[in-house]
């Protein structure tokens, strides 16, 4: 029975790979999840092959990716000021300018100095499964193969790139051990899709001082042994492997999680 299950799953994934080879990225998405809009986080994957949009994560957007805090900071009424942070009373405040070449800098020291090829070929962090994809079709195939089903959904942030101050309105858990796919900060369009063990993903509803509402995809790491020790100490005065640490995920990323709804298998 186990062999039969593996065979069926393999045939299922191969069938989707075959379909993806004959359709455009956007058409392939619709062939899998009809009437479901493509998340704006993945829009760069629709660029013609060989085209770029320069560095995709602009300086004013880097704070979306470099806000570190503790799980107990996620409560209604908490003030969040984006950027590498210290928690001070009821406010999470920035403490330094972010310096980041790719959005994985919380894991390995000086990772921003790596080339794209070096990054994609480098060993994964402890407990991480990493896969670089350069097309929407290959991302779809990867996440379907990982979960073994199309009943999955992608959830992303909707930060305003010109707004760095928010107040937490609501926190909703969306799943454990999600697969994160985020754009690497190189001119070539490549996403890093990876699952890190011992994580919990949340959607945090935020409100700006002007009353505008947005949402922040958030990941809390329960095992921080592989994190950048200098960054952790500077931001939170803690050492890797001692306490859980959370961070926001910016607009150029999404979390893939199982979708338990029946009528809408991939609601964004």
């Amino acid at each position: 029975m186990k062999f039969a299950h593996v065979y069926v799953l393999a045939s299922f994934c191969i069938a989707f790979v075959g379909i993806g080879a004959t359709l455009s990225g956007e058409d392939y998405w619709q062939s899998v999840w009809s009437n479901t809009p493509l998340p704006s986080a993945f829009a760069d994957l629709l660029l013609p092959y060989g085209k770029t949009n320069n560095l995709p994560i602009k300086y004013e957007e880097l704070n979306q990716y470099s806000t570190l805090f503790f799980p107990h900071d996620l409560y209604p009424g908490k003030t969040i000021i984006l950027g590498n942070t210290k928690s001070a009373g009821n406010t999470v405040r920035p403490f330094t300018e972010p310096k980041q070449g790719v959005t994985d800098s919380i894991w390995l020291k000086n990772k921003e100095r790596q080339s794209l090829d070096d990054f994609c070929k480098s060993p994964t962090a402890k407990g991480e499964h990493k896969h670089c994809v350069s097309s929407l079709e290959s991302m779809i195939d990867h996440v379907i193969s990982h979960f073994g089903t199309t009943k999955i959904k992608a959830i992303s942030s909707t930060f305003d790139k010109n707004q760095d101050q928010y107040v937490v309105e609501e926190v909703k858990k969306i799943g454990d051990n999600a697969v994160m796919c985020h754009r690497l900060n190189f001119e070539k369009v490549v996403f890093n899709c990876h699952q890190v063990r011992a994580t919990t993903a949340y959607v945090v509803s935020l409100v700006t001082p002007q009353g505008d509402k947005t949402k922040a995809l958030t990941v809390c790491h329960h095992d921080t042994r592989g994190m950048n020790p200098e960054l952790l100490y500077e931001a939170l005065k803690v050492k890797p492997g001692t306490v859980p640490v959370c961070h926001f995920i910016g607009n150029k990323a999404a979390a893939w999680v199982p979708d338990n709804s029946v009528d809408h298998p991939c609601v964004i």
Side-chain angles (χ1 to χ4, degrees), residues 194-234:
H194 63 129
Q195 182 186 56
V196 181
R197 70 180 183 185
T199 58
T200 302
Y202 300 89
V203 170
V204 180
S205 298
L206 301 171
V207 182
T208 69
Q210 295 77 32
D212 298 322
K213 296 187 178 184
T214 188
K215 63 181 180 180
L217 177 60
T218 306
V219 174
C220 291
H221 297 265
H222 308 294
D223 182 354
T224 62
R225 287 175 292 177
M227 282 191 173
N228 183 332
E230 293 181 0
L231 186 59
L232 273 185
Y233 185 79
E234 189 177 3

Side-chain angles (χ1 to χ4, degrees), residues 129-145:
H129 300 281
K130 179 175 70 176
H131 185 68
C132 287
V133 298
S134 56
S135 70
L136 184 59
E137 300 94 318
S138 59
M139 179 186 291
I140 293 170
D141 291 340
H142 175 71
V143 294
I144 289 176
S145 176

Side-chain angles (χ1 to χ4, degrees), residues 64-250:
Q64 298 172 9
Y65 298 86
S66 56
T67 304
L68 301 179
F69 47 91
F70 299 116
H72 61 251
D73 288 319
L74 290 176
Y75 63 85
K78 183 75 170 183
T79 298
I80 302 286
I81 301 176
L82 301 187
N84 283 342
T85 56
K86 288 179 180 176
S87 182
N90 197 44
T91 303
V92 174
R93 295 184 179 279
F95 71 98
T96 187
E97 289 186 352
K99 185 170 63 174
Q100 189 175 9
V102 297
T103 56
D104 295 86
S105 65
I106 65 169
W107 287 103
L108 293 177
K109 183 178 178 181
N110 295 327
K111 180 166 279 192
E112 70 272 12
R113 296 173 186 169
Q114 283 187 309
S115 69
L116 177 58
D117 287 342
D118 287 343
F119 173 81
C120 289
K121 293 176 182 177
S122 65
T124 59
K126 188 176 180 64
E128 177 193 33
H129 300 281
K130 179 175 70 176
H131 185 68
C132 287
V133 298
S134 56
S135 70
L136 184 59
E137 300 94 318
S138 59
M139 179 186 291
I140 293 170
D141 291 340
H142 175 71
V143 294
I144 289 176
S145 176
H146 177 89
F147 288 102
T149 179
T150 59
K151 287 189 173 295
I152 51 181
K153 59 184 176 181
I155 300 172
S156 56
S157 299
T158 57
F159 285 112
D160 181 339
K161 68 179 181 180
N162 297 315
Q163 178 64 252
D164 280 348
Q165 182 169 332
Y166 301 91
V167 173
V168 175
E169 184 177 56
E170 186 180 27
V171 181
K172 289 185 178 180
K173 178 180 175 179
I174 59 173
D176 297 314
N177 302 322
V179 172
M180 307 298 303
C181 290
H182 58 84
R183 174 75 194 266
L184 297 176
N185 209 23
F186 294 93
E187 292 189 6
K188 185 176 179 181
V189 179
V190 175
F191 277 69
N192 176 24
C193 290
H194 63 129
Q195 182 186 56
V196 181
R197 70 180 183 185
T199 58
T200 302
Y202 300 89
V203 170
V204 180
S205 298
L206 301 171
V207 182
T208 69
Q210 295 77 32
D212 298 322
K213 296 187 178 184
T214 188
K215 63 181 180 180
L217 177 60
T218 306
V219 174
C220 291
H221 297 265
H222 308 294
D223 182 354
T224 62
R225 287 175 292 177
M227 282 191 173
N228 183 332
E230 293 181 0
L231 186 59
L232 273 185
Y233 185 79
E234 189 177 3
L236 300 173
K237 301 303 183 204
V238 297
K239 295 180 180 180
T242 56
V243 294
V245 172
C246 307
H247 61 93
F248 289 141
I249 303 295

